[in-house]
Amino acid sequence: METHLVYSSAHLCTLRSFSRLPLTSSPLRPHFARAGRGVRLRRRPIMGMAAISPESTLVHDLGVSALASGVALGLLRFFEELAKRGVFEQKLNRKLVHISVGLVFLLFWPFFSPGRYAPFFAAFAPGINIIRMLLLGSGLWKNDAMVKSISRFGDYRELLKGPLYYACTITLATSLLWRTSPIAIALICNLCAGDGMADIVGRRFGNRKLPYNPSKSYAGTISMVLAGFIASIGYMHYFHLFGLMQENWNTILGFFLTSLAAAIVESLPISSDLDDNLTVPLTSFAVGNLVF
């Protein structure tokens, strides 16, 4: 790594008359190279300040991935215990899992290295859930409490639909889009915060139904737009603190349009047929590519 300073010819003469020393290319002295109309001062790297090795980067990413996986599994076990004890109604417990796991996972993204393999190490955490959903949904692994905490009706075969789509969406967004992409933020926030709050608010306050879909309400659709949008803005600011993303009005408008489109598609009858864990991320990805 080199640090460059630009000096004018007058400044160079002053430096020479002050130091009265010859300019050399010794590793311990700065040396000058002419660049256009000025003179560029180049400093050699200080001995012992070597770049971080690829091996240490891999170890770092493995450690963060293990921590993220542990926290995600801990959250699932926590809600599993709540389901066992009947603390929340089953559908509410399921939506709390739906909201929290993906959003908490996003908090770990800035702590991975900028290495080329970091996204794949990060994707390891949701990738584990793909395997879990396949094992549970196929009946090869029995865990009634976990099935109850993340399914609509307590049927283990449900895990091969919505929960599996959920895990696949976050895994693909992590490994293919990664943390500098506003599309990744919009996609995950609309899936987790937006879709989760739509169900919770819609069940409680959704007396006025949509004319084109009596199973959806105005309250649920509006809450989805707001929750997905606010969560996206929050994570935009969070990633900006780490220098990973710019904050500007164009991005904010893009988040709003993406959340609005995802909520509209989620309110359509087709989302009930295909599962909104599939239609919401697909819509967010398609619209995000247009507005960002």
Side-chain angles (χ1 to χ4, degrees):
M1 181 182 295
E2 294 179 339
T3 303
H4 301 287
L5 299 174
V6 178
Y7 285 82
S8 67
S9 299
H11 290 158
L12 177 58
C13 293
T14 304
L15 273 171
R16 284 180 172 174
S17 61
F18 177 78
S19 64
R20 298 185 182 280
L21 292 174
L23 298 174
T24 71
S25 58
S26 166
L28 299 178
R29 295 181 183 273
H31 65 281
F32 294 88
R34 293 195 174 274
R37 297 175 58 185
V39 177
R40 184 175 59 185
L41 174 62
R42 298 190 298 175
R43 299 187 184 277
R44 295 183 182 276
I46 300 174
M47 296 298 182
M49 299 292 289
I52 299 176
S53 67
E55 292 79 7
S56 61
T57 299
L58 293 177
V59 170
H60 170 84
D61 288 337
L62 277 172
V64 179
S65 179
L67 179 60
S69 300
V71 171
L73 293 176
L75 271 175
L76 289 174
R77 294 297 295 273
F78 172 73
F79 284 108
E80 180 184 329
E81 286 298 318
L82 294 182
K84 285 181 180 178
R85 300 171 186 273
V87 176
F88 297 118
E89 186 264 336
Q90 180 177 341
K91 292 179 180 178
L92 176 59
N93 195 92
R94 171 178 170 268
K95 282 302 176 181
L96 292 176
V97 174
H98 185 97
I99 293 171
S100 61
V101 171
L103 295 183
V104 169
F105 172 61
L106 269 184
L107 294 174
F108 288 91
W109 281 17
F111 299 103
F112 284 89
S113 77
R116 61 185 298 186
Y117 298 112
F120 304 105
F121 283 111
F124 178 76
I128 291 177
N129 278 331
I130 294 178
I131 298 174
R132 290 160 67 91
M133 296 307 104
L134 290 173
L135 292 175
L136 288 167
S138 62
L140 295 176
W141 180 21
K142 303 292 184 181
N143 189 327
D144 293 337
M146 181 173 291
V147 170
K148 185 178 179 181
S149 68
I150 57 180
S151 63
R152 292 179 185 270
F153 306 107
D155 186 348
Y156 68 90
R157 290 169 294 187
E158 294 179 51
L159 273 60
L160 294 178
K161 295 182 179 179
L164 179 60
Y165 300 153
Y166 179 95
C168 289
T169 293
I170 296 179
T171 302
L172 291 174
T174 304
S175 56
L176 300 181
L177 298 175
W178 199 215
R179 59 192 182 185
T180 59
S181 171
I183 300 175
I185 292 179
L187 190 154
I188 294 177
C189 288
N190 288 331
L191 173 65
C192 299
D195 184 50
M197 289 303 298
D199 186 81
I200 293 174
V201 175
R203 291 181 184 280
R204 187 173 180 85
F205 303 104
N207 295 324
R208 294 188 60 187
K209 303 299 182 180
L210 297 175
Y212 54 87
N213 189 354
S215 66
K216 302 291 182 179
S217 66
Y218 285 101
T221 300
I222 293 172
S223 65
M224 179 172 178
V225 176
L226 294 178
F229 175 61
I230 292 171
S232 298
I233 296 301
Y235 275 96
M236 177 190 70
H237 179 68
Y238 176 67
F239 283 12
H240 174 74
L241 296 177
F242 292 88
L244 298 172
M245 187 167 295
Q246 294 296 320
E247 291 182 306
N248 55 65
W249 288 109
N250 288 335
T251 304
I252 292 173
L253 177 60
F255 282 136
F256 176 75
L257 293 175
T258 306
S259 295
L260 178 62
I264 292 174
V265 171
E266 191 272 344
S267 71
L268 298 174
I270 190 174
S271 289
S272 300
D273 297 332
L274 294 179
D275 197 288
D276 49 19
N277 283 347
L278 185 61
T279 58
V280 169
L282 286 176
T283 303
S284 298
F285 179 78
V287 176
N289 274 286
L290 295 175
V291 299
F292 293 118

